[in-house]
Structure formats: C-alpha cells, structure tokens
Amino acid sequence: MEISKTYDPSQIEKKWYQFWSEKGYFTPVTDKTRKPFTVLIPPPNVTGILHMGHVLNNTLQDVIVRYHRMCGEPTLWLPGVDHAGIATQNVVEKQLAAEGKTRHEIGREELVGLIWKWKGEKGDRIIEQLKQLGCSCDWSRLRFTMDEMLSKAVKEVFIYLYNDGLIYKGKYIINWCPRCVTALANDEVEHADESGKLWYFRYPYQDGDGFVTIATTRPETMLGDTAVAVNPKDERYQHLIGKELILPLTGRTIPVLADDYVDMEFGTGCVKVTPAHDPNDFEIGNRHNLERLLVMDEHGIMNDNAPEQFRGLDRYTCRELIIKQMQEQDLLEKIDNHELAVGHCYRCDTVIEPYLSDQWFVKMKPLSEAAIKVVESGEVRFQPERWTKVYMHWMNNIRDWCISRQIWWGHRIPAYYCNACNKMIVAKESPAACPDCKGTSFRQDEDVLDTWFSSWLWPFSTMGWPEESEDQKYFLPTNILITAPEIIYLWVARMIMSTLHFKGMIPFDTVLLHGTVRDEIGRKMSKSLGNSPDPIDIIETVGADALRFSMVFNTPKGADVNYTDAMLESGRNFANKIWNAYRFIMMNADAIKGLPQRDELELELADRWIYSRLNEVAAEAKAHYDNLRLNDAAQALFKFIWDEFCSWYIELSKDRLYSAAPDSNPDKAALTAKYILLDVIQASMRLLHPIMPFITEELWQGIRTHFPMPDESVMIAEFPVSDKQQIDKFIADEMAFMQESIVAVRNLRKQVNLPPATEIGIHIRLTEAKQQQLFNRYESYFRKLAKVTELKAETGLQKPPASLAAVVRNIEIFLPLSGLIDLAQEKARLSKQLEKLEAELAGIQRKLANENFVKNAKPEVVEKEKEKLVEVSTKAELTRNQIVNLN
Ligand SMILES: [Zn+2]
Ligand SMILES: [Zn+2]
C-alpha cells in the first residue's frame, strides 16, 4: 500500500464526504428505545457566503454532532436556509438597478419570480460550502423558510395569534429606512455615537411678547410639532403650562403642556413634541391626545403636511432651509455641539427615521412569561452562564414586536380587505364573500412578515407542524442550540416563546453562545474592512480539518477568536504530524507479517504507559466533549497524539520494529509493537474524529487493512470508552521518571554541542537500589532517544572525572567527556568565555557604582542594568562550574 509522503487534504476530503453521503450516515436511524440527539442549525441566509463566523459556528456544531453520533445516539443535525427578506430582495434589486430598472416598474409578481430564479441559480451556495467544511447535516431534511411546509406554519401561527388577540394592527412609531423603504425592528438598527448639533429655537407666545426656547437635534421635524412640553415639577415653567405658542414657519398654534417624561436637564427643559416622528413624543401624544402630523413621506421627503416652501425637499435639505429661515427671523438662539447615538439601517447604513405608520405587531408580554420561567427553573440553560442575565433583562423589558415589512420577498400577511367596504378578514385564503357587505372582491395586505417571523418557528415548522409528525414526537425538544450572542433576542428568545406557546415544550435545553471571530488586532471581521479571509481558500490550501482544528484548539468556550494566518499552523502542522506517524506505522505494519491477539502481547513499560495514557485521555476527551469544552478536548488530544504517542511512543517502538527482518518470522516484541501502534492510532482517530473528520477517516480506512476494526467508517465507530483497569499511576510515574532522565541527558549533550550521531556513555548515581533494575531494563530507551551506548547506574557511584552533571528527582546523571571532545580545547574555549563575561560584569558593576549614572539615568535604564548584572553573573557562575567539571 503506497502512502504519499506529504499529506494532501484535497485528495482526501471530497472523497470521504461523498462516501459518508452515499452510505447515508448523515440521516439518523430512529430507534424508539434510544434517546436521540438533535441540533438545529441556525439557518444561514440564502444569499450567504461562508465567512469565518460560519466556520466557527458550524465547526462547533459538527464536533458535537459527530461526537454524539459516535456515542450511539440517533443523531439529527437539521439544516436549513433562511429566505432573509431584505437582504435577498436587495441583491436582486441591485441587479435590476444595473439594468436601469426599479422594482416598482416591474411589479411585485415579476420581482418575486426573479428572486426565486436567483435562488435557484445562485442561492444555497453556502450549503455546498458547509459540505466542504465537513458538516454532517441530514441534507435529506434540508429546509427553506419559504418552503410550502414552513409557509403553512407561518400562516397558521399568524392566524392563531390574531384570533387570540396577540397580533394586532396599529399606528406606531417604528424605525424606518427611507432607502430600503421599510420598517426595521429595533434590533435591526445599529447605533453609532456621532457628534451632532443641538439647535436652540424660539417659539413665540401667541399673546403678547416673549417666547420659549426649545432644543432639537432634528430641526426638520419641527414642522410636525403639535405641542411643547415641560416637566410638571419644573419651577421655572409653571406659568407656561396651558399657554399657546406660535409654531414658526407654519403659523400653527400649539399648546404648552406638562408631562413627567420631560427631562428638566436636557436643553432648556422645554421640549418640542412631534408625535409622528419620535417614539417618546408618540407616547406623550397618546397621553395628551395630540394630533399626529406626519410631515415626511416614506422616502424621507417632506410631504404636503409641510408648508409649501418645504414640500418635496429631502429631510436634510429641509433642515438647512429651516435653520437659515429661523436665523433670519431671529428665532435661532444658539447652536451647541452635541454627542448623540444615531440609528443606522443594518442593511444599507442609511440614518433611520422614526416614522409613524400602519404596522402589524405581536403582543410579547403574554408570550414572555413562560419563557422567563423555563430559564429561571433551569430547564433551558445558557452557556456561558453570563448570558442568562442578558436574556432575562430583555425578557423583563420586552416590547411588542413589529412584524410587518414593506418589501415583497417573504411571507405575505394573510389579511384581506373587502374592496367594497374595507372590512379586514384574516384567513389562509382570500375569502369568498365579505360577511358585512357580501362583496366578493378583495385585496391582500401588501406587507410581508419579518424574516424572524418564520425563523422563530424553526424548531417545529421544520418538522411538519401544524400536522403531527413522527419527527416532532421523536426529536423534540432538541438538545442544544449553538449560535452567536447577537441573535439571543432576535432568534433564541423568540424560539423559546413560540415553542412553548405552540408545542407546550421547550425547544432545546442548552444554548451555547460562542464568541466572535476577530482579526489580529481584535476588530470584528467585515466585508467593508476587508480583514476577513475566505474560508474556502483556506480549505483549498490547508484543508478543512486544519481549519477546524485551529479554530477549536485556539478558542476557549464562549471566547472570541483573534484569527491570524499563523493560527492555522497549529492545525496544518498537527495534520502533517499525524500523517507522518501514520505513514511510518503503515510501512512497518506492511513489513512485519502477522498480528497477535491482544492477550498474546508482551507488554513493556512504554506499552503499558501508552495504554494507560490512552485510557486517561479517552476519559478526559469524553468529559470535555460532554461539557462543551471542545477547546480542552482539542488540547488534550493534541498533547497525547503529538507528544506522547508520536514523540515518545513511536520513537521507543522503533528498536523492536527494526529488530524484525523483512519476510522472516517476526518476534513477539516486533509483533507487540506493531499491534500497539495500530491499536493506539485507531483509538486516537476515534477520539479526534469529531474535530478532524477527514484525516481520521483516511487513516481509519488504511489501518483497517491491518487491524481488526468492524466499523466500515470511523464516523459510525464507537467513541472510545475509557478502561479504568488500564490506567496505572505507578507505570505512568515510572515512565515519567525515564522521560525526565532522557531529557536531562539530551540537555547535557546540548551543553557541549555534541552532534546527534555521537554515541555516549553515562553514569547514574542512584539513591535506592531498586532503581537499578528500572534503568537496566530501559537502557534501550536511552540508546534510542539519547544515543547512550553505555549506561552504568549504581548507588554510591563516584562522579567520573571531567564530566557534566544533572539532577533528576533523587538521582544524579553524569556525562563523562573524555574521548568525546578535546578537553583542553573546550577548557580554553570556556576560559575565554569566562574572561569575556567577567569583563562585561566589571563594566556593569562600574556603571552601577557611578553615582552620576544612577542619579541621572531613567529608572527603567538602571533597572535594566541591574537585571543584566544578575544575568551575566549567573552565566559566569555556570561557566566556572563547567570548567571545574572538566577537571
Ligand atoms: Zn436601509
Ligand atoms: Zn365588505
């Protein structure tokens, strides 16, 4: 069997993904006697292209899913794609714009048709990319939020909630993007601190002389003012309450009223009230029955409610004109600089406008109660635990959810209006006749639902609800949701609410919130910064395994990742190390014919040690995977495979392997070494498979040709169960003693720069007689790993002349140098070195004795000199000892 010298993931990864897929391993076999393990994918957008955030999120999911599958649980990772309303419509609208067309020109039906066409051709690209990453989702259950099944659930839920009085239509101040021409949810608005201005305007009294001064950050909205408010406790303004003012530039008369909401500290303490353009003013307006005067249209252009000279102006042009005119009329008192948080559209970055419009809402308070309880009781747990507080805070201050969007791509609201009498009917289909006027002509509500209105039903809409289904019975509630904390409100909290309300159960019992992938200097990765590598490029160069391992290995649970290209080296080097070990083992397995039974092995120290460690690591890895400490699992496996197995065990096995001449009858020692190498590496591949699925499969298939392994794939093999019988602390300690001693000998060699091939003899002074047996027995380890051809270990042994010494535990190791190096020459070299060090030392001492230097130099410079003094005198002392040792 020919194994290539270097590891080439591109030759391997596609092949095994296809193999798994053809074998049907991604689809769980339901078994009523066993508890399933279920994970719901946070559905990526249909427009999505794999980015580093997806890599982290989906790697964590796949590791957990693969681990549970190997533990024998019927495991379902349910995949899907989100139709991503605004994002997707924007992509197609951009294409239209390139052809000089707008959506309004082509109309609703054609636009929606174009988006479906786009989805068919270019959408779902991310699904193929997730496969490249190795994700073991059950693709036979792939869902799309606009599928017929999911759309049915959306309609059903809307109608249920409407009939229960939990959905209503109302006028409301919402966040409006004048560019996208749609309402945005609070969470879709990104706030940025900006330096703005505060304009102080005078509003004259209607009767007689005088005025009040109000301050505003958005002068253009004054055209929609319908009152001025003061705080009822404000002593300064008691006399104003009830007075009438003239609203400049409009000639309208508006009252001064008192409202608790007014902050006496802000501006002058008198505030303008614009119910149609500010959410707080909207509330004040409701309390005082004020008119809501909308002065802008949906594009942010001043409308007919504004005085004629402002009509048709953009909101910012209007602002300039207002300031100019107020100044000309001596009504502009002053302008202050003012820091304020400005809301921007998360899609297009346009400054949002609080805007009064007809929208649909879900009453959230009644839904939130049960969702608070299940987290309080611990039925649903957030990890890391700190997110519980964030969740609770939001749930306790929950506001109604604006679910209507003024776009065309999405689930259209199932409300119909009678064309004759305007009666509204909420129904699955257009009604046959109007119950009021018997009219038969209807128009459907133009709006579509917020994208999250379909994804909040994800746990059960994907499994066929509202119909009953076996999947719902078997897989719900799911086990764990793994997602980014940014969508804890938008998605996680809402799924908990909907699943409790419609299924009467929690959607999942654990929510693992992972960190953000950042660049080297801690900035969030983004398209506009251009600081995000393309994960597909990475996969195509170093392989998905290396990428996955690097992410997991370097990311503690819940922490952010600061990605660097250097970080990838950990995964790439690890894959190469595994490959080299595999190649070595397979070459020897080919050369040594035959394989003993497990009970025929002749175990020596290293063998018992590696089995002891393997079983310890199996227990550790299981605990880490179970507790979602994937990074600890990766670290433990790395240490075991790299250090203990590759660097120590394989090296220690070489003697025995090489003792078997090709084609002759191999001895027990060689067969034992062969058996254990194969056995330990196959178990290691099972432990590592969840993190590095491809390379572990490639090795598994090769190892199977030499070693009895019934499972045709590592993906469905059993996750190793730790055998406590094989964990032996005594063996582990003996082995550690040998390792420390070998490391000490290697260090002695380094002290005099012995070439690696130079053979040496060592003398060991023991303190206990029983140690002698140990060193004699494992003399070969010293020969193999430190080129020790002669080992003398005794109690009461004298230090040989001209030798280097090292202490390990309670023994002393000597390396006699005569015959290895020219002692006279070495002594001369060391003496020269010592001379130099002493001169340097004297120089530093002189400096520090100089009062002027100590007084005038910067303290850190003096400190540095003092450190140097210690360092150089230590070196000099060492050199002096070395010279003494040569005698
Ligand atoms: Zn926008
Ligand atoms: Zn009617």
Side-chain angles (χ1 to χ4, degrees), residues 699-723:
L699 264 63
W700 183 263
Q701 299 300 334
I703 300 163
R704 280 185 85 208
T705 61
H706 285 292
F707 198 76
M709 304 188 309
D711 294 305
E712 61 179 8
S713 162
V714 65
M715 185 174 159
I716 53 160
E718 185 192 24
F719 191 81
V721 178
S722 171
D723 176 3

PDB file of all heavy atoms in Angstrom, residues 699-723:
ATOM      1  N   LEU A 699      -7.164   7.659   7.657  1.00  0.00           N
ATOM      2  CA  LEU A 699      -6.322   6.751   8.433  1.00  0.00           C
ATOM      3  C   LEU A 699      -7.083   5.487   8.816  1.00  0.00           C
ATOM      4  O   LEU A 699      -6.555   4.384   8.747  1.00  0.00           O
ATOM      5  CB  LEU A 699      -5.797   7.452   9.699  1.00  0.00           C
ATOM      6  CG  LEU A 699      -4.395   8.070   9.576  1.00  0.00           C
ATOM      7  CD1 LEU A 699      -4.383   9.178   8.520  1.00  0.00           C
ATOM      8  CD2 LEU A 699      -3.911   8.614  10.910  1.00  0.00           C
ATOM      9  N   TRP A 700      -8.328   5.699   9.196  1.00  0.00           N
ATOM     10  CA  TRP A 700      -9.164   4.560   9.610  1.00  0.00           C
ATOM     11  C   TRP A 700      -9.209   3.501   8.515  1.00  0.00           C
ATOM     12  O   TRP A 700      -9.028   2.310   8.764  1.00  0.00           O
ATOM     13  CB  TRP A 700     -10.577   5.079   9.920  1.00  0.00           C
ATOM     14  CG  TRP A 700     -11.524   4.039  10.418  1.00  0.00           C
ATOM     15  CD1 TRP A 700     -12.436   3.339   9.688  1.00  0.00           C
ATOM     16  CD2 TRP A 700     -11.663   3.590  11.766  1.00  0.00           C
ATOM     17  NE1 TRP A 700     -13.143   2.486  10.489  1.00  0.00           N
ATOM     18  CE2 TRP A 700     -12.678   2.618  11.781  1.00  0.00           C
ATOM     19  CE3 TRP A 700     -11.027   3.926  12.966  1.00  0.00           C
ATOM     20  CZ2 TRP A 700     -13.088   1.974  12.945  1.00  0.00           C
ATOM     21  CZ3 TRP A 700     -11.429   3.291  14.124  1.00  0.00           C
ATOM     22  CH2 TRP A 700     -12.445   2.325  14.112  1.00  0.00           C
ATOM     23  N   GLN A 701      -9.437   3.986   7.290  1.00  0.00           N
ATOM     24  CA  GLN A 701      -9.551   3.050   6.172  1.00  0.00           C
ATOM     25  C   GLN A 701      -8.243   2.309   5.936  1.00  0.00           C
ATOM     26  O   GLN A 701      -8.244   1.125   5.605  1.00  0.00           O
ATOM     27  CB  GLN A 701      -9.996   3.786   4.910  1.00  0.00           C
ATOM     28  CG  GLN A 701     -11.363   4.464   5.026  1.00  0.00           C
ATOM     29  CD  GLN A 701     -12.500   3.487   5.325  1.00  0.00           C
ATOM     30  OE1 GLN A 701     -12.423   2.309   5.005  1.00  0.00           O
ATOM     31  NE2 GLN A 701     -13.567   3.973   5.957  1.00  0.00           N
ATOM     32  N   GLY A 702      -7.126   3.005   6.133  1.00  0.00           N
ATOM     33  CA  GLY A 702      -5.826   2.345   5.954  1.00  0.00           C
ATOM     34  C   GLY A 702      -5.543   1.359   7.075  1.00  0.00           C
ATOM     35  O   GLY A 702      -5.128   0.217   6.827  1.00  0.00           O
ATOM     36  N   ILE A 703      -5.787   1.782   8.289  1.00  0.00           N
ATOM     37  CA  ILE A 703      -5.486   0.936   9.450  1.00  0.00           C
ATOM     38  C   ILE A 703      -6.307  -0.356   9.394  1.00  0.00           C
ATOM     39  O   ILE A 703      -5.836  -1.426   9.762  1.00  0.00           O
ATOM     40  CB  ILE A 703      -5.764   1.711  10.765  1.00  0.00           C
ATOM     41  CG1 ILE A 703      -4.891   2.960  10.849  1.00  0.00           C
ATOM     42  CG2 ILE A 703      -5.483   0.828  11.987  1.00  0.00           C
ATOM     43  CD1 ILE A 703      -5.370   3.981  11.873  1.00  0.00           C
ATOM     44  N   ARG A 704      -7.531  -0.234   8.887  1.00  0.00           N
ATOM     45  CA  ARG A 704      -8.413  -1.407   8.792  1.00  0.00           C
ATOM     46  C   ARG A 704      -7.795  -2.553   8.002  1.00  0.00           C
ATOM     47  O   ARG A 704      -8.163  -3.703   8.182  1.00  0.00           O
ATOM     48  CB  ARG A 704      -9.731  -1.027   8.098  1.00  0.00           C
ATOM     49  CG  ARG A 704     -10.714  -0.335   8.980  1.00  0.00           C
ATOM     50  CD  ARG A 704     -11.998  -0.143   8.213  1.00  0.00           C
ATOM     51  NE  ARG A 704     -12.845  -1.336   8.309  1.00  0.00           N
ATOM     52  CZ  ARG A 704     -13.713  -1.708   7.385  1.00  0.00           C
ATOM     53  NH1 ARG A 704     -13.848  -1.014   6.285  1.00  0.00           N
ATOM     54  NH2 ARG A 704     -14.453  -2.770   7.559  1.00  0.00           N
ATOM     55  N   THR A 705      -6.895  -2.205   7.077  1.00  0.00           N
ATOM     56  CA  THR A 705      -6.306  -3.274   6.261  1.00  0.00           C
ATOM     57  C   THR A 705      -5.335  -4.123   7.080  1.00  0.00           C
ATOM     58  O   THR A 705      -4.931  -5.193   6.654  1.00  0.00           O
ATOM     59  CB  THR A 705      -5.561  -2.695   5.033  1.00  0.00           C
ATOM     60  OG1 THR A 705      -4.514  -1.849   5.509  1.00  0.00           O
ATOM     61  CG2 THR A 705      -6.499  -1.894   4.149  1.00  0.00           C
ATOM     62  N   HIS A 706      -4.948  -3.639   8.261  1.00  0.00           N
ATOM     63  CA  HIS A 706      -4.010  -4.380   9.102  1.00  0.00           C
ATOM     64  C   HIS A 706      -4.561  -4.795  10.456  1.00  0.00           C
ATOM     65  O   HIS A 706      -3.977  -5.625  11.135  1.00  0.00           O
ATOM     66  CB  HIS A 706      -2.770  -3.516   9.382  1.00  0.00           C
ATOM     67  CG  HIS A 706      -1.862  -3.410   8.216  1.00  0.00           C
ATOM     68  ND1 HIS A 706      -1.144  -4.471   7.721  1.00  0.00           N
ATOM     69  CD2 HIS A 706      -1.556  -2.360   7.416  1.00  0.00           C
ATOM     70  CE1 HIS A 706      -0.422  -4.077   6.692  1.00  0.00           C
ATOM     71  NE2 HIS A 706      -0.664  -2.805   6.480  1.00  0.00           N
ATOM     72  N   PHE A 707      -5.624  -4.145  10.856  1.00  0.00           N
ATOM     73  CA  PHE A 707      -6.074  -4.300  12.235  1.00  0.00           C
ATOM     74  C   PHE A 707      -7.566  -4.576  12.245  1.00  0.00           C
ATOM     75  O   PHE A 707      -8.310  -3.970  11.466  1.00  0.00           O
ATOM     76  CB  PHE A 707      -5.775  -2.992  12.997  1.00  0.00           C
ATOM     77  CG  PHE A 707      -5.780  -3.146  14.488  1.00  0.00           C
ATOM     78  CD1 PHE A 707      -4.701  -3.743  15.148  1.00  0.00           C
ATOM     79  CD2 PHE A 707      -6.861  -2.701  15.240  1.00  0.00           C
ATOM     80  CE1 PHE A 707      -4.702  -3.879  16.524  1.00  0.00           C
ATOM     81  CE2 PHE A 707      -6.863  -2.843  16.623  1.00  0.00           C
ATOM     82  CZ  PHE A 707      -5.778  -3.434  17.263  1.00  0.00           C
ATOM     83  N   PRO A 708      -8.033  -5.490  13.105  1.00  0.00           N
ATOM     84  CA  PRO A 708      -9.466  -5.824  13.059  1.00  0.00           C
ATOM     85  C   PRO A 708     -10.334  -4.689  13.596  1.00  0.00           C
ATOM     86  O   PRO A 708     -10.318  -4.397  14.791  1.00  0.00           O
ATOM     87  CB  PRO A 708      -9.559  -7.057  13.970  1.00  0.00           C
ATOM     88  CG  PRO A 708      -8.396  -6.946  14.893  1.00  0.00           C
ATOM     89  CD  PRO A 708      -7.314  -6.242  14.140  1.00  0.00           C
ATOM     90  N   MET A 709     -11.033  -4.029  12.698  1.00  0.00           N
ATOM     91  CA  MET A 709     -11.962  -2.965  13.100  1.00  0.00           C
ATOM     92  C   MET A 709     -13.241  -3.174  12.325  1.00  0.00           C
ATOM     93  O   MET A 709     -13.262  -3.044  11.106  1.00  0.00           O
ATOM     94  CB  MET A 709     -11.356  -1.591  12.792  1.00  0.00           C
ATOM     95  CG  MET A 709      -9.996  -1.432  13.473  1.00  0.00           C
ATOM     96  SD  MET A 709      -9.279   0.202  13.391  1.00  0.00           S
ATOM     97  CE  MET A 709      -9.363   0.620  11.707  1.00  0.00           C
ATOM     98  N   PRO A 710     -14.309  -3.553  13.009  1.00  0.00           N
ATOM     99  CA  PRO A 710     -15.529  -3.944  12.306  1.00  0.00           C
ATOM    100  C   PRO A 710     -16.215  -2.779  11.581  1.00  0.00           C
ATOM    101  O   PRO A 710     -16.854  -3.001  10.553  1.00  0.00           O
ATOM    102  CB  PRO A 710     -16.427  -4.500  13.410  1.00  0.00           C
ATOM    103  CG  PRO A 710     -15.889  -3.910  14.684  1.00  0.00           C
ATOM    104  CD  PRO A 710     -14.435  -3.678  14.471  1.00  0.00           C
ATOM    105  N   ASP A 711     -16.085  -1.557  12.100  1.00  0.00           N
ATOM    106  CA  ASP A 711     -16.860  -0.461  11.506  1.00  0.00           C
ATOM    107  C   ASP A 711     -16.245  -0.016  10.189  1.00  0.00           C
ATOM    108  O   ASP A 711     -15.059   0.268  10.118  1.00  0.00           O
ATOM    109  CB  ASP A 711     -16.941   0.707  12.484  1.00  0.00           C
ATOM    110  CG  ASP A 711     -17.732   0.331  13.716  1.00  0.00           C
ATOM    111  OD1 ASP A 711     -18.883  -0.102  13.562  1.00  0.00           O
ATOM    112  OD2 ASP A 711     -17.172   0.430  14.823  1.00  0.00           O
ATOM    113  N   GLU A 712     -17.112   0.109   9.169  1.00  0.00           N
ATOM    114  CA  GLU A 712     -16.594   0.456   7.846  1.00  0.00           C
ATOM    115  C   GLU A 712     -16.259   1.942   7.732  1.00  0.00           C
ATOM    116  O   GLU A 712     -15.747   2.388   6.729  1.00  0.00           O
ATOM    117  CB  GLU A 712     -17.601   0.061   6.776  1.00  0.00           C
ATOM    118  CG  GLU A 712     -18.927   0.780   6.952  1.00  0.00           C
ATOM    119  CD  GLU A 712     -19.949   0.434   5.881  1.00  0.00           C
ATOM    120  OE1 GLU A 712     -19.675  -0.479   5.079  1.00  0.00           O
ATOM    121  OE2 GLU A 712     -20.992   1.081   5.859  1.00  0.00           O
ATOM    122  N   SER A 713     -16.566   2.703   8.787  1.00  0.00           N
ATOM    123  CA  SER A 713     -16.196   4.115   8.776  1.00  0.00           C
ATOM    124  C   SER A 713     -15.970   4.566  10.215  1.00  0.00           C
ATOM    125  O   SER A 713     -16.668   4.123  11.136  1.00  0.00           O
ATOM    126  CB  SER A 713     -17.323   4.954   8.162  1.00  0.00           C
ATOM    127  OG  SER A 713     -17.166   6.308   8.506  1.00  0.00           O
ATOM    128  N   VAL A 714     -15.009   5.460  10.382  1.00  0.00           N
ATOM    129  CA  VAL A 714     -14.765   5.983  11.731  1.00  0.00           C
ATOM    130  C   VAL A 714     -15.950   6.829  12.188  1.00  0.00           C
ATOM    131  O   VAL A 714     -16.227   6.970  13.376  1.00  0.00           O
ATOM    132  CB  VAL A 714     -13.442   6.784  11.783  1.00  0.00           C
ATOM    133  CG1 VAL A 714     -13.522   8.039  10.927  1.00  0.00           C
ATOM    134  CG2 VAL A 714     -13.062   7.136  13.217  1.00  0.00           C
ATOM    135  N   MET A 715     -16.685   7.373  11.203  1.00  0.00           N
ATOM    136  CA  MET A 715     -17.817   8.237  11.541  1.00  0.00           C
ATOM    137  C   MET A 715     -18.889   7.505  12.344  1.00  0.00           C
ATOM    138  O   MET A 715     -19.583   8.106  13.161  1.00  0.00           O
ATOM    139  CB  MET A 715     -18.421   8.779  10.238  1.00  0.00           C
ATOM    140  CG  MET A 715     -19.521   9.776  10.455  1.00  0.00           C
ATOM    141  SD  MET A 715     -20.066  10.503   8.903  1.00  0.00           S
ATOM    142  CE  MET A 715     -21.688  11.071   9.439  1.00  0.00           C
ATOM    143  N   ILE A 716     -19.023   6.196  12.095  1.00  0.00           N
ATOM    144  CA  ILE A 716     -20.046   5.435  12.815  1.00  0.00           C
ATOM    145  C   ILE A 716     -19.425   4.482  13.837  1.00  0.00           C
ATOM    146  O   ILE A 716     -20.112   3.677  14.457  1.00  0.00           O
ATOM    147  CB  ILE A 716     -20.955   4.639  11.843  1.00  0.00           C
ATOM    148  CG1 ILE A 716     -20.086   3.787  10.913  1.00  0.00           C
ATOM    149  CG2 ILE A 716     -21.857   5.566  11.041  1.00  0.00           C
ATOM    150  CD1 ILE A 716     -20.838   2.642  10.280  1.00  0.00           C
ATOM    151  N   ALA A 717     -18.093   4.581  14.000  1.00  0.00           N
ATOM    152  CA  ALA A 717     -17.427   3.741  15.002  1.00  0.00           C
ATOM    153  C   ALA A 717     -17.775   4.260  16.389  1.00  0.00           C
ATOM    154  O   ALA A 717     -18.196   5.401  16.554  1.00  0.00           O
ATOM    155  CB  ALA A 717     -15.925   3.777  14.786  1.00  0.00           C
ATOM    156  N   GLU A 718     -17.573   3.408  17.385  1.00  0.00           N
ATOM    157  CA  GLU A 718     -17.916   3.794  18.754  1.00  0.00           C
ATOM    158  C   GLU A 718     -16.855   4.748  19.319  1.00  0.00           C
ATOM    159  O   GLU A 718     -15.657   4.539  19.142  1.00  0.00           O
ATOM    160  CB  GLU A 718     -17.981   2.539  19.630  1.00  0.00           C
ATOM    161  CG  GLU A 718     -18.453   2.826  21.043  1.00  0.00           C
ATOM    162  CD  GLU A 718     -18.238   1.624  21.976  1.00  0.00           C
ATOM    163  OE1 GLU A 718     -17.370   0.782  21.713  1.00  0.00           O
ATOM    164  OE2 GLU A 718     -18.975   1.558  22.974  1.00  0.00           O
ATOM    165  N   PHE A 719     -17.306   5.778  19.995  1.00  0.00           N
ATOM    166  CA  PHE A 719     -16.357   6.667  20.660  1.00  0.00           C
ATOM    167  C   PHE A 719     -15.681   5.874  21.779  1.00  0.00           C
ATOM    168  O   PHE A 719     -16.363   5.202  22.555  1.00  0.00           O
ATOM    169  CB  PHE A 719     -17.083   7.881  21.243  1.00  0.00           C
ATOM    170  CG  PHE A 719     -16.131   8.950  21.710  1.00  0.00           C
ATOM    171  CD1 PHE A 719     -15.566   9.841  20.806  1.00  0.00           C
ATOM    172  CD2 PHE A 719     -15.780   9.048  23.049  1.00  0.00           C
ATOM    173  CE1 PHE A 719     -14.667  10.809  21.228  1.00  0.00           C
ATOM    174  CE2 PHE A 719     -14.887  10.017  23.472  1.00  0.00           C
ATOM    175  CZ  PHE A 719     -14.329  10.898  22.562  1.00  0.00           C
ATOM    176  N   PRO A 720     -14.332   5.902  21.873  1.00  0.00           N
ATOM    177  CA  PRO A 720     -13.640   5.031  22.832  1.00  0.00           C
ATOM    178  C   PRO A 720     -14.146   5.219  24.267  1.00  0.00           C
ATOM    179  O   PRO A 720     -14.337   6.328  24.735  1.00  0.00           O
ATOM    180  CB  PRO A 720     -12.189   5.485  22.713  1.00  0.00           C
ATOM    181  CG  PRO A 720     -12.077   6.039  21.340  1.00  0.00           C
ATOM    182  CD  PRO A 720     -13.404   6.695  21.072  1.00  0.00           C
ATOM    183  N   VAL A 721     -14.339   4.085  24.907  1.00  0.00           N
ATOM    184  CA  VAL A 721     -14.744   4.103  26.311  1.00  0.00           C
ATOM    185  C   VAL A 721     -13.489   3.845  27.136  1.00  0.00           C
ATOM    186  O   VAL A 721     -12.753   2.897  26.876  1.00  0.00           O
ATOM    187  CB  VAL A 721     -15.801   3.006  26.572  1.00  0.00           C
ATOM    188  CG1 VAL A 721     -16.179   2.987  28.053  1.00  0.00           C
ATOM    189  CG2 VAL A 721     -17.029   3.247  25.708  1.00  0.00           C
ATOM    190  N   SER A 722     -13.262   4.692  28.084  1.00  0.00           N
ATOM    191  CA  SER A 722     -12.053   4.553  28.898  1.00  0.00           C
ATOM    192  C   SER A 722     -12.130   3.287  29.754  1.00  0.00           C
ATOM    193  O   SER A 722     -13.138   3.025  30.403  1.00  0.00           O
ATOM    194  CB  SER A 722     -11.938   5.796  29.783  1.00  0.00           C
ATOM    195  OG  SER A 722     -10.920   5.610  30.727  1.00  0.00           O
ATOM    196  N   ASP A 723     -11.047   2.493  29.716  1.00  0.00           N
ATOM    197  CA  ASP A 723     -10.988   1.280  30.537  1.00  0.00           C
ATOM    198  C   ASP A 723     -10.129   1.581  31.762  1.00  0.00           C
ATOM    199  O   ASP A 723      -8.901   1.693  31.677  1.00  0.00           O
ATOM    200  CB  ASP A 723     -10.377   0.150  29.704  1.00  0.00           C
ATOM    201  CG  ASP A 723     -10.203  -1.126  30.519  1.00  0.00           C
ATOM    202  OD1 ASP A 723     -10.612  -1.145  31.699  1.00  0.00           O
ATOM    203  OD2 ASP A 723      -9.651  -2.096  29.973  1.00  0.00           O
TER     204      ASP A 723
END
